[in-house]
Amino acid sequence: MQTPIVDFVEKYNQNQMVRFHMPGHKGRHYLGCEWADITEVCGADALYEAEGIIAESERNASELFGSGQTFYSTEGSSQCIRAMLYLALSRHTGDGRPTVLAARNVHKAFVYAAALLDFDVEWIWPEAEMKSLCSCAVSPKRIETMLQTSVKKPVAVYLTSPDYLGGQMDIHAIAEVCHREGVYLLVDNAHGAYLHFLKKAEHPLDLGADLCCDSAHKTFPVLTGGAYLHIHKNISEILGRKGKQAMALFGSTSPSYLILESLDLCNAYLSDGYRKKLNHTVEKIAEIKKRLQEHGWTLEMSDPLKITLCATREQSGKQLAEQLRSHRMECEYADEEYCVLMCTPDNTDEELESLCNLLLTMNGTAKKQPALMPAKAEQVRSIRQSVLAEYENISVKNALGRICASPAVGCPSAIPIAVSGERIGESAIQLFEHYGIDQIEVVCETDLIE
């Protein structure tokens, strides 16, 4: 597959152009990659008005994923999340603020999008016992019931799949429910860009999602910040013309050209034997999971490229991460209950074997997982009002009854316990303490006086 962006930059550098333009390094070597770091010079196209080489590269990506349209982001899935919500909300024709039906394990970028776009959220809570803040298992039937009984019909259903632990929802069945009820299905697929290239495609677009974001950098050899916004073929005629507008609304006017080049080069990577490499890695990981389970490890159900270890009787997830670190291995995420390992075809068989052999030297017998209470709470103010309000930072132990301002979460995994505008209750405080969060931003009492 052609790489028009990369080809242009290489030719530009070979021509030894004197750079009387941005960036300020002028292509000279400080990090070593400056020669490839250009701006929107003549012929380089412009990301949000793409008509040339960037548009060609995005069409290549769309062909690879089988989408109606695919747009590049150099600001991660966070930009794509905001853009796809904007696109879905553009179809709202009712009175008042629109509503989105969303599974509670959203990334905080979703909450900030609600503040920027001023929509309401009806939360879908996990149906089974809550084992982690990262997961929110919900059935198609539950979503159907909520769509049919909502006081104000949502414009869209929003899900995270795979979640941070690797859990996947039944996107195909949920998409059928959404389409019967006349609403869009939006999926944060940040961890699953590769799913389209499995022997049996499991990408949300393949399963019927209308809008979907992928973090290319999480599972592909793309520089951090590279991501995709996909629009399904069935609605690209309706929403596709607004795609660039949506991305430009939330993106910098100086997108990283290095990230664009890595996205462009990834098209060639995906079209040249990637499926074979991916499926070899998937089979290798499945074999390792089997060996670990036979040795006594308990693994959380996860997407094919994750190994999600449950904490053992001897070590918490964080302690497992420290143990791996002492052997020069770094995990993706760890908390008290889990240690999450993300793999790709760029992890060698030798690396995977070393990981497996190390784990086989440990006692993997799982400890009993605590039952976590979801932090269901009264929504006192809109998310927008609360994010923009005057706030103060207080101790969690003093937060009972206060109203959450900005979500108190780090990344990973960036999933809010209390959402902006909610009155903080006992269950939220228990979760804050469980996850080691001791400070929270709350709306100033003076801001509540009318």
Side-chain angles (χ1 to χ4, degrees), residues 282-299:
V282 165
E283 289 171 5
K284 181 70 177 177
I285 292 170
E287 174 205 327
I288 287 172
K289 288 179 178 179
K290 184 171 182 287
R291 287 162 64 189
L292 291 176
Q293 288 171 319
E294 289 172 349
H295 185 71
W297 282 92
T298 298
L299 307 180

Side-chain angles (χ1 to χ4, degrees), residues 19-301:
R19 301 188 182 194
F20 292 114
H21 61 73
M22 300 181 287
H25 54 64
K26 305 303 179 184
R28 294 188 166 84
H29 294 270
Y30 296 93
L31 285 172
C33 59
E34 286 84 358
W35 70 270
D37 184 29
I38 65 168
T39 188
E40 294 156 334
V41 297
C42 179
D45 210 1
L47 181 57
Y48 301 124
E49 298 85 32
E51 297 177 341
I53 57 176
I54 295 175
E56 181 184 346
S57 184
E58 288 179 324
R59 285 194 295 271
N60 289 342
S62 178
E63 179 184 331
L64 283 165
F65 283 94
S67 69
Q69 284 182 272
T70 292
F71 300 104
Y72 288 160
S73 164
T74 64
E75 297 172 55
S77 281
S78 294
Q79 180 185 6
C80 301
I81 286 169
R82 298 179 188 111
M84 71 177 179
L85 284 162
Y86 168 82
L87 289 169
L89 295 172
S90 70
R91 303 293 291 170
H92 175 62
T93 57
D95 297 327
R97 286 197 302 269
T99 298
V100 174
L101 186 63
R104 181 67 176 202
N105 62 332
V106 294
H107 190 277
K108 65 181 177 182
F110 174 91
V111 177
Y112 293 143
L116 291 168
L117 296 167
D118 198 20
F119 61 84
D120 292 324
V121 184
E122 184 176 354
W123 296 110
I124 312 169
W125 295 94
E127 294 176 64
E129 184 180 88
M130 186 172 156
K131 295 191 290 184
S132 170
L133 190 66
C134 296
S135 299
C136 186
V138 292
S139 67
K141 184 63 179 175
R142 174 73 172 278
I143 291 174
E144 183 175 41
T145 300
M146 291 187 72
L147 286 173
Q148 291 174 350
T149 58
S150 293
V151 175
K152 186 165 64 171
K153 185 173 183 178
V155 296
V157 170
Y158 182 98
L159 304 175
T160 303
S161 181
D163 59 41
Y164 222 100
L165 300 183
Q168 294 175 267
M169 295 195 194
D170 188 349
I171 298 297
H172 177 70
I174 294 170
E176 290 185 338
V177 166
C178 290
H179 298 153
R180 278 200 306 270
E181 297 299 323
V183 302
Y184 288 141
L185 174 59
L186 283 54
V187 180
D188 174 356
N189 182 55
H191 287 239
Y194 74 94
L195 293 170
H196 175 69
F197 302 92
L198 295 172
K199 287 180 179 177
K200 182 180 179 183
E202 296 178 15
H203 193 282
L205 275 188
D206 298 307
L207 302 177
D210 298 290
L211 291 156
C212 178
C213 69
D214 299 348
S215 285
H217 71 257
K218 285 184 169 64
T219 55
F220 293 156
V222 169
L223 295 181
T224 299
Y228 309 108
L229 171 64
H230 302 293
I231 301 178
H232 197 280
K233 289 178 179 178
N234 291 349
I235 62 166
S236 61
E237 289 289 324
I238 302 169
L239 295 182
R241 63 185 179 83
K242 293 184 178 179
K244 282 294 182 184
Q245 175 188 353
M247 296 295 279
L249 185 62
F250 302 105
S252 169
T253 55
S254 300
S256 165
Y257 223 84
L258 288 172
I259 296 174
L260 288 176
E261 290 164 62
S262 71
L263 286 164
D264 184 47
L265 200 58
C266 186
N267 290 336
Y269 172 85
L270 295 175
S271 65
D272 185 22
Y274 174 70
R275 290 177 189 271
K276 182 178 179 180
K277 288 186 288 187
L278 172 65
N279 287 302
H280 169 79
T281 302
V282 165
E283 289 171 5
K284 181 70 177 177
I285 292 170
E287 174 205 327
I288 287 172
K289 288 179 178 179
K290 184 171 182 287
R291 287 162 64 189
L292 291 176
Q293 288 171 319
E294 289 172 349
H295 185 71
W297 282 92
T298 298
L299 307 180
E300 191 71 9
M301 288 287 291

